């Protein structure tokens, strides 16, 4: 038995420690620790409720848009505000741009290096690379130029920490056995890694146009939106959404399908707790969370692939293994934020994250949860793309894969990229919907009427998972504010019953070939986009 500690986990947003126990080549136990104290909730008390929109989106540098929308919704729920239809569409578009930015960022910049070995790409035959790209239906690049650029980059030592005997990738006989892609596919993915940096900027420009700036937008304020579209700005937005969608169609999706057959073993581990929560995201005109484009629901796979109704009262937070001096098991509307640090101990307290629970059990959040909830609800676009992907992977596996195979590391990776495709398609339709609304004479974007006291919750979905803001307003001031962020769900420590959190459960059972270079552990951790 060996103890392996990865601290800090890199290529994430925030600060994370992962400790695992490896027995006979598999993880036999795991502890995940959020090592950053945040305390944003305390900053907001006694401020005007509208201030929370500006302040709370600073919680995250990757999904600030979602925090701003959840905060605005909590204020609107507390003060009895219903936003105009134009504001609904504009918020959908700003949120969609963030999803596309985040999913491209995650796959190519944050997670790809767990599967793609750019050093091995130097062994690629350029003619064979073009042939493979054509056969895979993926995007053509100047692969010779990329290889030359990469060669110079490796030779000047800038990839030194990843190469050689001590390196993460290794080279030659020292290459980590988990890197199994042929060099030509490594070169294709590396070329798209570089191109993805440019496409992330294009998605961010959409938010800059509609939200004023990125990453912290300024227009989805409580009551509607401060963005008033013009013909020129709608042209700018549509052009950029079309460009990002084209990259997803011609690179992200075919790259995913090209890499998946080489890592089919990832369908056999990393499934986690088997409980999946989605608050729902992208509003329909009726503002019903169960009718959102990606709807609200809760799936417990052990009870079958069906979605249960779920609401804010179903959430509790245990702190038995967290550095807080507050009662355990509170609902966030009654939640408290009182930090109390003590030495790290896997037998005692070991995380700043609270153990969020839904209906009393741990719940995974993120693209896999949203796509599963949408799939079991029969959302046509989601059902079609999942069934089509399963059919293609079944051919590679030589066996018929069922939807339950999604509950795995491979399923979590694939779900994020398939969701990007669905959202990209919808984003074009939402721009056209906004144009039609404006042509019909609808010029309402913001309402001013509101109460000065109340209690509400904004339950929404960030790209990385379910986000909830709970706000209590008394006499025009915030009396209490609590946030349950996506990562709070996924990196949750053990609860009062000793039940591990979703990432901890996903790590248990994961094979580890080389405990000095625990690549498989990082693949599982990164798959949650913590």
């Amino acid at each position: 038995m060996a103890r392996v500690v990865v601290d800090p986990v890199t290529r994430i947003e925030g600060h994370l420690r992962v400790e695992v126990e490896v027995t006979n080549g598999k993880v036999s136990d795991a502890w995940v620790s959020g090592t950053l104290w945040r305390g944003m909730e305390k900053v907001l008390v006694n401020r005007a409720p509208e201030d929370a929109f500006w302040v709370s989106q600073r919680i995250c540098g990757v999904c600030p848009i979602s925090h701003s929308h959840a905060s605005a919704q909590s204020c609107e729920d507390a003060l009895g505000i219903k936003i105009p239809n134009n504001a609904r569409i504009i918020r959908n578009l700003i949120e969609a741009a963030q999803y596309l930015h985040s999913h491209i960022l995650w796959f190519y910049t944050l997670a790809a290096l767990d599967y793609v070995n750019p050093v091995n790409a130097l062994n690629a035959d350029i003619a064979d690379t073009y042939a493979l790209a054509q056969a895979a239906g993926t995007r053509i690049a100047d692969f010779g130029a990329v290889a030359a650029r990469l060669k110079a980059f490796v030779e000047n030592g800038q990839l030194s920490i990843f190469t050689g005997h001590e390196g993460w990738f290794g080279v030659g006989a020292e290459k980590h056995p988990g890197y199994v892609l042929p060099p030509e596919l490594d070169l294709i993915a590396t070329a798209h890694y570089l191109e993805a940096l440019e496409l992330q900027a294009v998605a961010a420009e959409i938010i800059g146009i509609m939200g004023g700036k990125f990453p912290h937008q300024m227009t989805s304020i409580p009551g509607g939106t401060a963005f008033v579209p013009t013909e020129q700005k709608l042209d700018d937005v549509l052009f950029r959404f079309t460009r990002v969608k084209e990259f997803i169609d011609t690179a992200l999706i075919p790259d995913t399908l090209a890499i998946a057959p080489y890592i089919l073993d990832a369908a056999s581990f990393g499934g986690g707790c088997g409980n999946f929560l989605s608050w729902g995201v992208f509003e329909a005109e009726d503002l019903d969370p169960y009718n959102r484009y990606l709807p609200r629901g809760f799936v417990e796979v052990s009870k079958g692939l069906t979605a249960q109704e779920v609401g804010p009262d179903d959430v509790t937070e245990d702190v038995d293994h967290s550095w807080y001096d507050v009662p355990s098991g509170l609902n966030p509307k009654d939640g408290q934020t009182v930090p109390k640090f003590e030495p790290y101990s896997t037998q005692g307290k070991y995380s700043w994250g609270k153990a969020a629970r839904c209906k009393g059990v741990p719940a995974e959040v993120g693209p896999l949860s949203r796509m599963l909830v949408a799939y079991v609800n029969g959302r046509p676009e989601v059902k079609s793309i999942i069934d089509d992907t399963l059919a293609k992977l079944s051919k590679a596996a030589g066996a018929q894969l069922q939807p339950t195979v999604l509950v795995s590391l491979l399923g979590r990776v694939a779900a994020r990229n398939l969701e990007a495709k669905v959202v990209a398609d919808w984003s074009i339709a939402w721009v056209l919907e906004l144009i039609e609304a404006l042509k019909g004479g609808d010029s309402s974007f913001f309402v001013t009427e509101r109460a000065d006291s109340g209690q509400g919750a904004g339950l929404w979905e960030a790209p990385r998972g379910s986000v909830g803001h709970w706000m209590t307003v008394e006499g025009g001031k915030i009396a209490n504010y609590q946030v349950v962020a996506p990562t709070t769900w996924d990196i949750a420590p053990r609860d009062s019953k000793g039940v591990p959190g979703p990432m901890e459960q996903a790590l248990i059972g994961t094979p580890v070939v080389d405990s000095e270079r625990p690549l498989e552990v990082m693949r599982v951790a990164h798959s949650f986009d913590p």
Side-chain angles (χ1 to χ4, degrees):
M1 182 183 72
R3 283 279 181 124
V4 178
V5 176
V6 183
D7 182 17
V9 176
T10 58
R11 287 186 274 124
I12 65 169
E13 199 284 336
H15 301 258
L16 189 70
R17 170 192 171 106
V18 171
E19 180 172 350
V20 297
E21 192 175 84
V22 180
T23 306
N24 298 323
K26 285 188 176 181
V27 175
S28 51
D29 210 342
W31 299 266
V32 176
S33 172
T35 57
L36 176 67
W37 159 246
R38 188 180 59 202
M40 192 69 78
E41 295 88 345
K42 298 178 78 70
V43 175
L44 290 167
V45 174
N46 289 326
R47 300 182 71 108
E50 292 84 358
D51 286 358
F53 163 82
W54 306 96
V55 175
S56 67
Q57 56 182 300
R58 269 71 183 175
I59 288 172
C60 181
V62 176
C63 48
I65 305 300
S66 311
H67 278 286
S68 73
H69 284 154
S71 177
Q73 290 171 354
S74 70
C75 181
E76 289 155 358
D77 189 39
L79 305 184
I81 303 168
K82 182 179 178 181
I83 64 172
N85 189 52
N86 285 336
R88 170 191 69 84
I89 303 171
I90 290 168
R91 288 186 184 184
N92 279 353
L93 287 168
I94 295 175
E95 189 71 55
Q98 181 193 224
Y99 266 63
L100 302 181
H101 174 276
S102 181
H103 285 358
I104 293 172
L105 167 73
W106 175 81
F107 183 65
Y108 287 105
T109 308
L110 302 182
L113 294 179
D114 291 342
Y115 306 92
V116 176
N117 184 341
V119 181
N120 189 47
L122 296 178
N123 298 317
D125 180 278
I126 300 302
D128 290 346
T129 303
Y130 278 103
L132 177 58
Q134 189 169 27
T138 195
R139 195 177 182 90
I140 299 296
D142 187 344
F143 295 121
V146 172
R149 183 180 175 189
L150 183 59
K151 184 172 185 292
F153 195 67
V154 171
E155 287 180 347
N156 71 18
Q158 293 189 58
L159 273 179
S160 61
I161 62 171
F162 295 107
T163 61
H165 180 72
E166 301 289 339
W168 185 256
F169 299 133
V171 293
E174 300 297 332
K175 190 177 82 167
H176 193 291
Y179 288 101
V180 295
L181 302 187
E184 289 75 18
L185 190 49
D186 278 326
L187 181 55
I188 292 170
T190 301
H192 294 165
Y193 172 104
L194 297 173
E195 195 172 356
L197 299 175
E198 181 181 352
L199 269 297
Q200 291 167 41
V202 174
E205 286 170 2
I206 298 171
I207 300 171
I209 293 168
M210 305 186 78
K213 63 185 180 65
F214 180 83
H216 301 117
Q217 63 134 340
M218 302 188 293
T219 56
S220 297
I221 50 180
T225 176
F227 172 71
V228 178
T230 64
E231 184 177 344
Q232 180 61 54
K233 288 186 176 179
L234 289 173
D235 278 348
D236 291 344
V237 167
L238 183 58
F239 165 74
R240 286 169 173 78
F241 270 125
T242 303
R243 190 175 170 201
V244 174
K245 171 178 156 41
E246 192 256 348
F247 178 78
I248 290 171
D249 289 343
T250 61
L252 181 64
I253 296 301
D255 285 355
T256 304
L257 294 173
I259 292 172
Y262 292 95
I263 56 170
L264 284 175
D265 63 316
S268 63
F269 63 89
C273 63
N275 308 317
F276 298 93
L277 168 67
S278 169
W279 291 133
V281 66
F282 303 121
E283 297 279 16
E285 191 166 358
D286 60 9
L287 302 182
D288 180 353
Y290 295 98
N291 195 37
R292 288 171 175 168
Y293 283 79
L294 290 169
R296 177 177 295 186
F298 182 60
V299 174
E300 293 179 270
V301 174
S302 62
K303 297 180 180 179
L305 286 181
T306 58
Q308 308 169 33
E309 292 193 355
V310 63
D313 292 338
D314 291 315
V315 181
T316 53
E317 293 183 297
D318 288 355
V319 295
D320 302 72
H321 295 277
S322 308
W323 290 311
Y324 293 94
D325 187 19
V326 299
S328 199
L330 295 178
N331 180 269
K333 72 175 185 298
D334 304 313
Q336 303 170 26
T337 304
V338 182
K340 184 182 180 183
F341 181 77
E342 55 190 76
Y344 173 94
S345 169
T346 56
Q347 302 303 310
K349 293 179 180 285
Y350 60 91
S351 180
W352 284 114
K354 296 179 180 178
R357 293 296 184 261
C358 181
K359 298 180 185 286
V361 297
E364 177 176 340
V365 301
L368 177 56
S369 297
R370 289 190 293 269
M371 295 294 274
L372 268 178
V373 170
Y375 184 86
V376 301
N377 273 289
R379 189 71 64 190
E381 301 89 339
V382 172
K383 195 164 188 323
S384 172
I385 198 169
I386 287 180
D387 287 342
D388 182 55
T389 302
L390 288 174
K392 290 174 180 173
L393 293 183
S394 294
K395 287 183 180 179
Q400 184 61 44
L401 300 179
Q402 301 300 319
T404 50
V405 79
L406 292 169
V407 186
S408 65
L409 169 59
L410 181 61
R412 195 174 297 114
V413 172
R416 192 178 305 273
N417 295 350
L418 298 181
E419 183 181 67
K421 160 68 175 166
V422 172
V423 172
D425 290 346
W426 284 338
S427 67
I428 304 295
W430 290 328
V431 176
L432 300 178
E433 182 185 8
L434 181 58
I435 292 172
E436 288 303 310
L438 297 173
K439 286 165 63 177
D442 187 350
S443 60
S444 177
F445 297 93
F446 185 76
V447 296
T448 57
E449 299 79 12
R450 59 198 64 191
D452 70 350
S453 299
Q455 191 173 63
L459 307 179
W460 194 240
E461 288 285 320
R464 55 184 41 174
S466 303
V467 55
H469 287 224
W470 280 258
M471 180 189 295
T472 300
V473 182
E474 295 176 357
K477 299 287 185 183
I478 295 175
N480 194 24
Y481 202 95
Q482 288 290 303
V483 177
V484 182
T487 303
T488 307
W489 288 99
D490 285 336
I491 71 160
R494 283 155 170 75
D495 60 20
S496 59
K497 301 172 185 174
V499 178
M503 187 186 292
E504 293 175 334
Q505 292 195 43
L507 286 165
I508 295 171
T510 295
V512 177
V513 174
D514 181 353
S515 60
E516 294 296 319
R517 295 180 293 175
L519 174 66
E520 303 85 353
V521 170
M522 288 299 89
R523 285 177 172 175
V524 172
H526 285 147
S527 70
F528 285 90
D529 190 20

